[in-house]
Amino acid sequence: MLNLLKNAFASGKASHAYIVVGEKPNIPALLNQCAQVVMCNTHTATDNCERCLKVAQGIHQDVISIPTDLTKNRITVADVSYLVDETYKRPVDNSLSRVFLVNAVDSVAGIGCEIWQNKLLKTLEEPTAGCYIFIGVTDAESLLPTVRSRCQVLKQSKVPQSQIEQKLQSGGLDVLVCQMVAAMCGGSLSSAERLISNAQVVKSYQVALDTAENMTSTKNALPFAAQILEVKENIADFLGFYTLLLRESIVVRLADGLAQLPLFKDSIDKICQNYTISAAQDCIERLAQAKRQLDNGANITVTVDQLLLDLLQIRYYRRD
């Protein structure tokens, strides 16, 4: 990712705005590294370059970060107004550029998520010379299409799933759990290590597996709803792994060699019996809808109950 950015600046082909995609814990560091490339494309902080050191330490006056409230970590209209105003100012710290780092990982859902993005649009459309904007997110699709269309995308390099599995297994961990986590970590070893150390995350994956495999009618749905609510603090992990399981059920029927969970063959075969390809596709969209609802503050009990009912209805009616 950084090499692409360095080459763009070295060749004079850099864009004025980028979307930086990576794992949530890595976003601040990735944004900072992007700022270092803009400010000094020939050195690093380890070379004792004064400019790079200032960027790395967060004290460079021409590198401006939002949100300003690091406790809530949500972008406000006031933050964007501040950014826009600063783009019209000249560099002040012995540099030729100004860099704006926008950590949007917690601001792309919920109240106000579209307002701050729309306010940023004019600056993205008509940038001030020498100003560069980097927007950090975990998924570029979470941003408005109008924002995405005005930016280039930089993605954090991914570690192959097999390597992550081997690394996790070298610690003596359960091979099935290692494969689940490796498939869900987005190609980030640090993310995988963080996920596998969280018992509730692993439990949410297991609940998703049990639900996808064994929930077959409204008569036996109630115990599954209770299990899901036991991991409600990790509901996003549950929804994510359930989605992966349904995708796997599609993949094994269309291109088995691309499967991410080969150790779960028996479970995936059972899920294939539960859901036709068209049913699996519809259920994936319904899971995404549930996540959006919860992100926007919906009641979790009501949302889970309706989700399970909808999944069962889709399973029944999409038997073609």
Side-chain angles (χ1 to χ4, degrees):
M1 180 186 85
L2 291 177
N3 285 335
L4 289 174
L5 189 62
K6 289 179 180 179
N7 291 336
F9 274 91
S11 62
K13 298 179 180 179
S15 173
H16 67 279
Y18 291 89
I19 296 170
V20 180
V21 181
E23 295 298 310
K24 182 175 179 177
N26 300 336
I27 289 296
L30 290 172
L31 291 174
N32 189 278
Q33 290 166 6
C34 290
Q36 289 187 48
V37 171
V38 178
M39 289 304 183
C40 184
N41 201 20
T42 56
H43 300 92
T44 66
T46 55
D47 298 328
N48 290 320
C49 169
E50 181 181 0
R51 192 176 299 172
C52 293
L53 284 170
K54 283 186 175 182
V55 175
Q57 294 167 6
I59 59 174
H60 198 294
Q61 296 180 71
D62 290 316
V63 178
I64 297 167
S65 299
I66 64 170
T68 53
D69 185 343
L70 298 181
T71 302
K72 294 182 179 179
N73 204 41
R74 290 189 65 84
I75 299 168
T76 65
V77 172
D79 285 328
V80 179
S81 295
Y82 168 62
L83 182 156
V84 172
D85 289 342
E86 289 294 320
T87 62
Y88 293 107
K89 298 180 181 179
R90 294 181 178 181
V92 296
D93 199 353
N94 193 29
S95 57
L96 299 176
S97 304
R98 304 206 89 195
V99 180
F100 300 88
L101 307 180
V102 182
N103 186 341
V105 291
D106 293 323
S107 303
V108 289
I111 297 173
C113 64
E114 294 186 5
I115 298 174
W116 72 261
Q117 293 182 69
N118 285 324
K119 188 170 181 61
L120 187 60
L121 279 181
K122 186 175 181 181
T123 301
L124 294 176
E125 292 171 346
E126 303 173 6
T128 304
C131 288
Y132 300 94
I133 300 172
F134 295 88
I135 306 172
V137 290
T138 57
D139 179 8
E141 296 297 317
S142 63
L143 292 164
L144 295 177
T146 47
V147 172
R148 297 199 306 269
S149 66
R150 291 160 175 79
C151 303
Q152 291 190 20
V153 177
L154 297 171
K155 290 188 177 181
Q156 183 180 16
S157 299
K158 295 183 178 181
V159 179
Q161 181 179 324
S162 59
Q163 290 185 24
I164 293 176
E165 285 185 50
Q166 292 172 8
K167 178 65 176 178
L168 296 176
Q169 290 173 22
S170 67
L173 299 171
D174 182 87
V175 293
L176 293 176
V177 174
C178 290
Q179 187 160 101
M180 285 193 291
V181 169
M184 287 294 294
C185 70
S188 167
L189 180 57
S190 62
S191 178
E193 292 172 338
R194 186 179 65 261
L195 292 173
I196 207 165
S197 66
N198 189 326
Q200 283 297 100
V201 169
V202 174
K203 184 178 179 180
S204 72
Y205 294 164
Q206 293 167 336
V207 170
L209 179 63
D210 187 22
T211 306
E213 189 176 353
N214 298 311
M215 187 182 70
T216 55
S217 73
T218 53
K219 294 180 180 179
N220 72 346
L222 188 59
F224 294 104
Q227 286 187 66
I228 296 168
L229 292 177
E230 287 179 5
V231 294
K232 63 182 180 181
E233 298 302 320
N234 297 90
I235 189 68
D237 299 296
F238 166 84
L239 295 171
F241 194 65
Y242 204 131
T243 299
L244 176 61
L245 291 168
L246 291 173
R247 285 177 176 162
E248 281 288 283
S249 76
I250 297 172
V251 168
V252 297
R253 284 175 279 192
L254 300 179
D256 191 34
L258 300 178
Q260 291 183 266
L261 299 169
L263 296 180
F264 292 83
K265 183 180 184 304
D266 291 342
S267 294
I268 299 300
D269 286 344
K270 198 169 181 181
I271 294 170
C272 288
Q273 295 172 16
N274 290 339
Y275 299 93
T276 63
I277 290 178
S278 60
Q281 291 171 330
D282 288 351
C283 286
I284 287 171
E285 176 53 38
R286 182 62 187 86
L287 289 163
Q289 181 186 352
K291 184 178 185 305
R292 290 192 295 269
Q293 291 171 338
L294 292 169
D295 286 342
N296 287 319
N299 180 280
I300 188 168
T301 302
V302 174
T303 302
V304 167
D305 287 345
Q306 187 61 53
L307 171 64
L308 297 188
L309 177 61
D310 290 346
L311 293 178
L312 287 168
Q313 287 181 334
I314 293 170
R315 174 183 180 273
Y316 179 78
Y317 288 111
R318 298 303 301 268
R319 291 175 292 180
D320 50 315

